[in-house]
Every structure is written in C-alpha cells, then in structure tokens.
Amino acid sequence: MPNYCRLTNHQMIIHKLNHHLLQKTGVTIVAIALYLSATIPQKSLANTPANPQLLSQSPAAFVPRNVSTGSQISLNGRNLSGAWLQQLQPKNPVKIYISDAALRQLLGIDLLSTNNPGRQPIEWFSSNNQPLILSANLWRGYRYLDVTNLATAAGWQMQAQGNTLVIVTPSTQVRNISENLNPGSVPQIVLDLDRPTPWQIQQGLPIKTLQDDPNAPTPNNAAPTNREWKITLDAIADSSLIQRYTPPPATSPDLLKQSQTSASLIQKVEVVNNQTVITLSVPLDLSLQATTINNPHRLVLNLRPDALKPKNINWARGLQWRQDFVNLGTDRFGIVWLEVNPRTAGLAIKPIWATANTLVGTAPLIQTAQKDLAVAAINAGYFNRNNRLPLGAIRRDGQWLSSPILNRGAIAWNDAGQFYFGRLTLQETLTTSSNLRSPILFLNSGYVQSGIARYTPAWGQTYTSLTDNERVFIVQNNKVTNQFVGDKAGQTNFPIPPNSYLLVFRGNAISQASQLTIGTDVQITTGTTPGEFNRYPNIVGAGPLLLQNGKIVLDAQSEQFSNAFITQKASRSAICTTANNTVLIAAVHNRVGGSGPTLAEHAQLMKLLGCVNALNLDGGSSTSLYLGGQLLDRYPNTAARVHNGIGIFLQPR
C-alpha cells in the first residue's frame, strides 16, 4: 500500500486547487479523499482490501460517527435526489458512501448477487470475471456503498456542500453507436465510449407507430404498438453520430415514407446540457437489458422479452432481495420479491399509509416508505382513487385505523413473527342509554352504504360528508356532545375533536338518529370474525385470499370481486408466509411475451415460490416493491400513487 500524505501537509495545495476550480466552474468540487488517494493503483477493487472494521459488522450494525449526510446529489451540474453519507476519519482519507439506490438510478451501477450483506459486488464497466466489490452498510433506511476507491479509479471529483454531494466526472466521448437488428438474433444497441461514465435509462409511455403508407393515417383509437425509451449518458456524441440518427425533413412523400419504415430502433440522438440523449421506439413486448463492459468501454443494450436479470442479494440482516423467472406451464413469469425473517432482532413489519395525521390521501410508495423510514415496503390495500380514501382493513399496534369490507382476505401478525391469514369481518355494535342497539357498518372507511359509520381522529381533524343529508354526532367520553345535519355530499366538513369520534347516519339509518340527543350515553363493542384476528395487533386487508395451509383457496366471487377483475391479466402484488416461517413480499408483472397473471395464475405462482399462506394485494399500476430508496420491480415514473402499504423496518442491534 502507498504511504498517504498527512492532511496538514496539503492544505495549501487543496486551497489553491479549489480556488482554481471555483474560477473555472463556479463551484468547488475537490474531494480531499480523492486527492489524498490519488496514488492508489487503478486496478480492480476486488483486490483492494476493505476497511476491516466495516467488514466485521453487519450492515444493520453500522452507526457512523463524525459524518455528514444529505439527500441531494449534484451530478455534473444537475441536481438529483439521492442519499449519501460522508465520514471523516482521523489521520485517514474522507470516506464517501452513496446509497445503492442512487448508484443504480443515477450512475447506472448494477448490483450483483451476494451472500454477504457487508460486501456488494457491482457491474460498472468492469470485467465479468472480476467484479468490483464495495463495502456496504445500512443506516436509517438506506444501504450505503463505499465509493471512495471507485471514484478515485474513475476520476470523479466529489465534495459535500450542505445537503448536496457534488460529483463531477471526467469528460467522455461517445465514439460510436451501432445496432444489430439481424433476424433471429436479439436486437442490440452498442454504445462505444472512451471511458466509463454515468448513464441512466428511462421508460416512457406507449406510442403509436405510423403505417407503411404515409397517406393512411393511424386511427386515433389504434392501440399503441411501441414504447418510448430514453438512454442518457454523461458523454458527448460526435456530430456525425447525431447526423446519422437525425430524421430527414419530411419535404417529400418518399422521404417521409423512408423515415417511417426505417428498421432502426433509434429515433433520435441529441446532445443536451453536455449529455447525449438517445431516444428509442421499442416494441411493447420488449424491454431493455443493459450491460457494461470494459476493454473497450461499452454500454450494451439488449432488447428482450425476458429482460429481468436474476439476482439473489443478501441485502441486510434478515432481508434477501431476489428476482428470477418462474415457470408456470408453458409461460415464464418474471417475479421480484423480498424474503424477510420476521424474527430478526430489530426487524419490524408495520402497516404504513400515505399522509401523516390523516387517512385521506395517496402518494408514491417510495415517498411513503421514506417518510416512515421503512427499509422496504410493498403496496397493500385497495382505495378509492377519486377521493383517496381506504377500502379495507388497516390495524397498527392494536389500533383500528380502517375497517375491513366485504369479508375480504386479510393478513394479521404480531411482533413475535406469528401470522394469520383469513377472510375478515369487523363487528362494531352501538348501544345507547336510549335503548338504541344497532351495528356500525364501517370504521374510517371510504366504502359507503346505508347505515351507521364511525370516524375517529385517525381519519383526520375533519370529516367531509360522503353522502347527502347525513346526520353526524360527536361522541366524547362515551357521551353525545354535539350533533349536525349535513347537506350535499362533499360540501360539509365536520370537526373530529381529539379523544372523540363521529357517528355518521346515512340512508335508512337516518330515521334512528332521532334517538340520539346531546347527553345520550353511548357504548361500542368491537370484535372480529374469525375471532383469531383479535389476537393480532397488526392487520392489513386486500384480497382475495390465495393460499391457506398450503392449499389454494381462491374464491374471488365470495369476496365480491367482479368477473372482469378475476379474469384480468395484470401486474399483481402479494404477501405470504413460507414453511420456513419467513415472509415474502412479491411483485409479478408480465409473462415473457405477454401480459401479467390472472388471479388463478397468481395463486399458483405464489405456491411455486414456496408460499404456504398468501394474500393478493392491490395490483395493476399500484404494484410497487420498494427497497432502500428504489423500486425494484418497475421504473418509478410508471407506478401509481397508493394509499397504504406494508413496511419493513430494521433498526441497529
């Protein structure tokens, strides 16, 4: 190992270098760590010894000292979201850690399979036979990878500035762009670079392509045939490459027809803000599978119906990230799932929802998980997309937040790692001193029927009428303290004072409201069917129930799902327990060359994964599997906002 110079011997040099860069770029970008480690041989990091202290710890045990952290990364002048951590070490270079999510999303670094949560192999313009290996540590919901040596070898300059980590990478050239579209082979696009550089892929919206005959316009109701993708590199393409893929001006029918019938997947190459942006039009049944190689430095894009890369990453203590194809008959389904050991010290599983202090609202699952500092999460129950209200059971730490509906499937669990699956009904009964005895149909629910409903402060500070002419009573200390008459739905707000709740009478139940006057004593009894659910402090409902005790028990009709929902082929989410008493949260999207699973196929797939008990969760565009700042199963811009989810929390031991 080379001898490192002491920091005190280089303060003046660093000051002058920072001053020079400030004059040139307007921002200081020198990282002391990079300057001090500039003499490290630029060889594979697989041979670079990691910090022995870090290697002796599991990721969850990492409690950094003398650190600064932030949530923004300035990459070559562009401000992006990304978690990072800087650690100052006496008599040693500064260490820079970046979350693995930010490395994947912003720089194009791919995580490879590993059985050691403290060491993460990566692919980033490296040899397949000798991948780079970075030290990994978990802290506050993110898994941070030590990029100090990687940055040195790649020539990055880094410096923390408040909440932002400034990264400047060396100037890079795109030397060539080539396509391999030979029949019978996998369509491929190869980008030749003069050095490694950050890159990103963005999946766009489905688009329509024109017919061969330019005079036969595509009907407005024609189904999309292709999807737009964008590849962005921190590199400059030569003007000849830009010209090669610049569509000719449509000055004549022949030129227009030529541009429309071109076999090229590349629609445009342009340089924007010192980045090369390549726009593709890709058939809907294909996705991009990206690989980087060295000698020469290349970004290789294969267009495949089976683009998912199998992975098995021991991501943290008690938490395994897996993705692979599962065969069902003649179909292959790509599945991404997390395997959780619920008995891991410091690990907890809890319901989460979008908005603090209210049950009204939706948000991207990434945002909800980060707000609650969850390490991992999956979308969970159903909700009304229009008014953003819950439509199913949510119970956390013994408190009912929202009641189940329609006797649908639910999962219940406790902090000891015990689980129960079944179809759930909540019975609440109202009894008053005026001899009124009546069922309360729903608690904090967006599901509306004629009858009595109840709303607690968990709903929010106010309740807005959901039907016309409601009668609303405030109950505090088991006594009616106020009453109101509503007007049109959505036009009247009623306060929900602390330590109280509202009783809302709708439809034919309004005739019973006259029996409640101010001062009436009120009692409510609560229980579940089956009664076994009463034993568990945490419950989430969705449905339909898929598996119980190793057997498929799917009966979506009894849970009042529509025939269209039952037979639909769509993306789906699920939670299950295995024979090994682990928990799986899984996202299933399309089969290779086709659409997602039906409910019946979904149940079979969960059984093939090793599930013994399984519950279907909300699916379609809601399907989202989160881990440490990233969605594992889809591009974030394609995921819908959701109301609630199931979060995985992991605290240091």
Side-chain angles (χ1 to χ4, degrees):
M1 292 289 291
N3 293 322
Y4 291 105
C5 300
R6 294 176 61 86
L7 176 62
T8 53
N9 295 335
H10 292 275
Q11 288 177 335
M12 185 59 69
I13 296 175
I14 293 171
H15 173 76
K16 290 181 179 179
L17 185 55
N18 271 333
H19 179 70
H20 171 74
L21 290 169
L22 179 61
Q23 290 182 319
K24 291 290 186 181
T25 67
V27 60
T28 57
I29 52 177
V30 176
I32 296 174
L34 297 181
Y35 180 78
L36 294 179
S37 56
T39 55
I40 296 178
Q42 296 190 14
K43 60 183 180 180
S44 169
L45 297 184
N47 296 327
T48 303
N51 188 321
Q53 181 182 2
L54 294 183
L55 290 181
S56 67
Q57 301 173 337
S58 71
F62 182 54
V63 182
R65 296 175 176 85
N66 301 319
V67 302
S68 57
T69 63
S71 60
Q72 296 293 310
I73 293 176
S74 172
L75 179 59
N76 295 322
R78 302 182 311 279
N79 292 324
L80 307 165
S81 295
W84 59 272
L85 183 153
Q86 177 181 259
Q87 185 177 24
L88 303 177
Q89 303 181 110
K91 300 181 181 180
N92 285 306
V94 174
K95 279 190 172 292
I96 301 291
Y97 298 81
I98 299 177
S99 70
D100 58 2
L103 292 175
R104 291 183 70 222
Q105 295 167 353
L106 306 184
L107 287 95
I109 290 176
D110 192 20
L111 308 184
L112 305 178
S113 296
T114 178
N115 58 9
N116 183 348
R119 288 174 64 81
Q120 179 58 62
I122 66 167
E123 176 194 283
W124 196 72
F125 300 100
S126 51
S127 168
N128 291 334
N129 298 325
Q130 197 175 38
L132 308 179
I133 299 178
L134 308 183
S135 297
N137 291 279
L138 189 72
W139 194 55
R140 292 187 179 177
Y142 296 96
R143 185 171 180 250
Y144 291 93
L145 304 185
D146 183 355
V147 298
T148 309
N149 291 339
L150 170 65
T152 300
W156 302 351
Q157 296 174 323
M158 300 191 297
Q159 187 180 57
Q161 295 184 352
N163 187 49
T164 301
L165 177 66
V166 178
I167 303 177
V168 176
T169 64
S171 298
T172 305
Q173 296 292 320
V174 181
R175 289 178 168 172
N176 191 33
I177 302 174
S178 59
E179 291 181 285
N180 177 13
L181 305 178
N182 295 327
S185 62
V186 175
Q188 186 180 80
I189 298 172
V190 178
L191 310 177
D192 288 316
L193 309 170
D194 67 344
R195 65 183 302 146
T197 194
W199 57 272
Q200 305 92 35
I201 291 179
Q202 182 180 13
Q203 180 182 357
L205 296 174
I207 55 178
K208 300 173 184 177
T209 56
L210 298 179
Q211 307 300 315
D212 288 346
D213 183 359
N215 297 316
T218 302
N220 290 332
N221 60 353
T225 58
N226 282 31
R227 184 183 298 277
E228 182 179 88
W229 294 76
K230 287 184 182 293
I231 299 95
T232 303
L233 302 97
D234 282 72
I236 304 297
D238 185 81
S239 58
S240 63
L241 295 176
I242 298 174
Q243 184 63 35
R244 182 194 305 173
Y245 294 102
T246 299
T251 56
S252 70
D254 290 340
L255 286 176
L256 178 61
K257 184 172 182 178
Q258 179 183 351
S259 67
Q260 291 170 344
T261 58
S262 171
S264 175
L265 298 166
I266 300 175
Q267 302 300 296
K268 185 190 298 184
V269 176
E270 55 188 335
V271 174
V272 181
N273 296 328
N274 295 320
Q275 290 182 295
T276 295
V277 181
I278 303 170
T279 303
L280 308 181
S281 178
V282 177
L284 286 176
D285 61 342
L286 301 179
S287 294
L288 268 61
Q289 184 186 81
T291 303
T292 57
I293 58 176
N294 63 354
N295 296 325
H297 299 299
R298 284 177 172 172
L299 172 60
V300 180
L301 304 170
N302 292 312
L303 283 70
R304 307 179 59 97
D306 56 348
L308 182 73
K309 290 184 178 181
K311 295 183 189 296
N312 188 347
I313 295 176
N314 191 349
W315 195 83
R317 186 167 43 86
L319 187 56
Q320 196 92 2
W321 164 14
R322 301 189 63 185
Q323 56 187 50
D324 209 340
F325 290 95
V326 175
N327 296 327
L328 181 60
T330 59
D331 289 318
R332 298 174 66 214
F333 290 87
I335 305 181
V336 184
W337 72 99
L338 297 176
E339 184 168 0
V340 182
N341 181 352
R343 295 165 302 284
T344 301
L347 188 145
I349 304 174
K350 300 290 181 182
I352 58 176
W353 54 96
T355 310
N357 304 318
T358 178
L359 290 178
V360 181
T362 58
L365 183 68
I366 286 182
Q367 180 178 314
T368 301
Q370 291 174 331
K371 167 181 67 70
D372 291 351
L373 298 180
V375 170
I378 193 168
N379 68 292
Y382 299 102
F383 56 97
N384 185 308
R385 292 193 182 276
N386 294 324
N387 56 27
R388 304 175 300 146
L389 302 178
L391 296 174
I394 308 174
R395 187 184 191 190
R396 176 164 171 160
D397 297 331
Q399 178 188 5
W400 279 106
L401 300 169
S402 183
S403 61
I405 65 172
L406 303 173
N407 195 37
R408 287 182 171 174
I411 177 176
W413 68 94
N414 59 26
D415 293 337
Q418 298 172 316
F419 292 82
Y420 181 76
F421 290 74
R423 297 183 177 93
L424 171 63
T425 300
L426 178 69
Q427 292 97 12
E428 286 201 322
T429 302
L430 168 67
T431 304
T432 74
S433 58
S434 58
N435 296 320
L436 173 63
R437 182 178 175 86
S438 182
I440 297 175
L441 299 182
F442 300 105
L443 168 67
N444 292 339
S445 179
Y447 190 74
V448 177
Q449 284 189 331
S450 178
I452 304 175
R454 188 163 75 97
Y455 294 87
T456 72
W459 182 260
Q461 294 182 351
T462 60
Y463 161 78
T464 302
S465 58
L466 296 176
T467 61
D468 296 345
N469 305 316
E470 295 176 344
R471 295 291 301 275
V472 178
F473 299 85
I474 296 179
V475 178
Q476 196 164 20
N477 297 323
N478 299 322
K479 193 180 293 290
V480 176
T481 60
N482 211 338
Q483 58 182 329
F484 308 93
V485 178
D487 196 354
K488 293 290 186 180
Q491 295 186 1
T492 312
N493 296 325
F494 303 99
I496 309 178
N499 303 315
S500 69
Y501 59 84
L502 304 185
L503 291 174
V504 179
F505 288 68
R506 301 176 178 133
N508 57 24
I510 292 178
S511 61
Q512 300 174 311
S514 60
Q515 299 183 47
L516 267 70
T517 58
I518 295 177
T520 301
D521 292 328
V522 171
Q523 289 187 343
I524 293 177
T525 57
T526 301
T528 64
T529 300
E532 183 72 11
F533 277 104
N534 284 321
R535 297 181 49 238
Y536 294 89
N538 302 299
I539 298 175
V540 165
L545 194 64
L546 300 176
L547 295 167
Q548 266 186 319
N549 301 319
K551 297 181 179 180
I552 294 178
V553 294
L554 176 63
D555 188 355
Q557 289 182 331
S558 74
E559 297 185 28
Q560 301 189 42
F561 289 98
S562 68
N563 289 332
F565 179 84
I566 294 170
T567 58
Q568 182 184 20
K569 295 179 179 179
S571 299
R572 301 192 184 275
S573 305
I575 184 170
C576 80
T577 54
T578 70
N580 296 326
N581 297 316
T582 60
V583 177
L584 306 185
I585 52 176
V588 187
H589 289 279
N590 293 344
R591 73 194 77 206
V592 174
S595 302
T598 64
L599 279 175
E601 291 173 327
H602 192 38
Q604 295 177 69
L605 289 169
M606 292 304 103
K607 190 171 183 179
L608 290 172
L609 279 187
C611 298
V612 174
N613 302 285
L615 175 70
N616 180 66
L617 303 172
D618 189 14
S621 60
S622 295
T623 298
S624 307
L625 184 60
Y626 169 88
L627 180 66
Q630 59 197 313
L631 290 186
L632 302 182
D633 63 311
R634 68 192 309 160
Y635 289 87
N637 63 305
T638 70
R641 299 166 70 92
V642 299
H643 181 275
N644 60 82
I646 298 172
I648 312 297
F649 300 84
L650 189 56
Q651 301 297 327
R653 287 178 293 186

